[in-house]
């Protein structure tokens, strides 16, 4: 009975929501979650959690993708436009975009990530107020755009003008901090695969963000995860969208180069 309902639901969804139709093959074969020793967090999950991520009808992150799809088409701001007014079908125009973020941005003279890029589009092109970092709306739009690249390899540019910011992010990753006097690298490079208070420590890759974290019972951005890890190191976290976290995001994204976009990933 439940199964019939699910099938009907799945049929209706695919019939009613063409923009969500996926060009990429999903789920990916297990071998794709590792690239030259770089392993997605998926690799460290129990099978049950992997199944949640594999199946769009069980993946709780898909609610955010759907919310983002509605926002994509919503007219807001003084210009009387929506994202779709200019970009039309996200499955075509946004395909591959999130795989290239974060990136150096000349206008900013620093690193911009997808969240801040979405807000810039709202402010400059729609004349609409920016969305609050970590709000359901911003997570939704970020997840929706990320989803259009699902399965594509992350290609992060760190040469040229991005180089000094990459260096700062790398320094952050290796710097010991807080009362515990440990670095990101000490857990995510040295202890990947080890158990920590009921968690299996992964490599700390960010190819699945924004993701659904079962422990949070909600979606979260890369910067929320950085904040969580910083706090568990008994170190002062930085604000969402701060230069420190943007540089760190660039380094960590590059560290996971070639891993497939998994948005919306599911993690424990
Ligand atoms: C005390 C060990 C520890 C330290 C230090 C630490 N983390 Fe984590 N981190 C964890 C644990 C535990 C998790 C949850 C399980 C997992 O995915 O590794 C996690 C998860 C993550 C994830 C999510 C991975 C995924 O697949 O979704 C990212 C990204 C991350 N950490 C980045 C960082 C960064 C950046 C730093 C430094 C600011 C850091 N961590 C410091 C223990 C640590
Ligand atoms: C008035 C037209 C217009 C509106 C409205 C608009 N955009 Fe854009 N957007 C553009 C143009 C033009 C570019 C630069 C050329 C390009 O990359 O397509 C761009 C670039 C982007 C990029 C960068 C693409 C890349 O390759 O790096 C993203 C992401 C984006 N827009 C998302 C959005 C979102 C999300 C909204 C709604 C909140 C939105 N845009 C609203 C016209 C618009």
């Amino acid at each position: 009975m439940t199964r019939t309902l699910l099938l009907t639901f799945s049929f209706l969804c695919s019939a009613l929501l063409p923009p969500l139709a996926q060009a990429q093959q999903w789920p990916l074969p297990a071998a794709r979650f590792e690239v030259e020793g770089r392993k997605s967090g998926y690799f460290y999950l129990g099978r049950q959690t992997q199944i949640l991520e594999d199946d769009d009808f069980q993946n709780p992150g898909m609610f955010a993708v759907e919310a983002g799809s509605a926002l994509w088409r919503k007219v807001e701001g003084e210009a009387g436009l929506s994202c779709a007014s200019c970009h039309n079908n996200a499955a075509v125009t946004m395909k591959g975009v999130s795989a290239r973020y974060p990136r150096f941005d000349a206008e900013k003279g620093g690193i911009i990530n997808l969240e801040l890029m979405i807000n810039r589009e709202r402010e400059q092109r729609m004349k609409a107020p920016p969305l609050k970092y970590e709000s359901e709306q911003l997570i939704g739009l970020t997840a929706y755009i990320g989803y259009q690249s699902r399965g594509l390899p992350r290609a992060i540019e760190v040469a040229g003008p991005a180089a000094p910011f990459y260096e700062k992010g790398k320094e952050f990753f290796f710097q010991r901090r807080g009362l515990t006097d440990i670095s990101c690298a000490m857990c995510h490079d040295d202890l990947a695969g080890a158990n920590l208070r009921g968690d299996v420590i992964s490599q700390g890759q960010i190819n699945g963000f924004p993701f659904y974290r079962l422990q949070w019972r909600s979606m979260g951005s890369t910067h929320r995860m950085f904040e969580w890890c910083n706090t568990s190191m008994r170190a002062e976290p930085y604000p969402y969208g701060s230069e420190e976290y943007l540089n760190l995001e660039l380094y960590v994204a590059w560290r996971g180069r070639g891993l497939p976009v998994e948005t919306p990933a599911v993690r424990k």
Side-chain angles (χ1 to χ4, degrees), residues 72 81-83 86-87 94 97 100-101 103 114 117-118 121-122 125-126 141 145:
W72 178 259
L81 298 169
S82 70
C83 311
C86 296
H87 294 288
M94 291 291 131
V97 170
R100 291 187 276 102
Y101 277 74
R103 61 168 175 81
L114 197 52
M117 185 68 200
I118 291 168
E121 292 291 290
R122 283 179 58 91
R125 307 212 202 250
M126 290 165 65
L141 267 178
I145 293 176

Side-chain angles (χ1 to χ4, degrees), residues 2-27:
T2 324
R3 185 155 177 86
T4 321
L5 271 177
L6 266 179
L7 283 175
T8 316
F9 178 70
S10 100
F11 171 76
L12 279 174
C13 284
S14 46
L16 295 176
L17 296 170
L20 286 182
Q22 264 298 300
Q24 300 298 315
Q25 176 200 11
W26 195 264

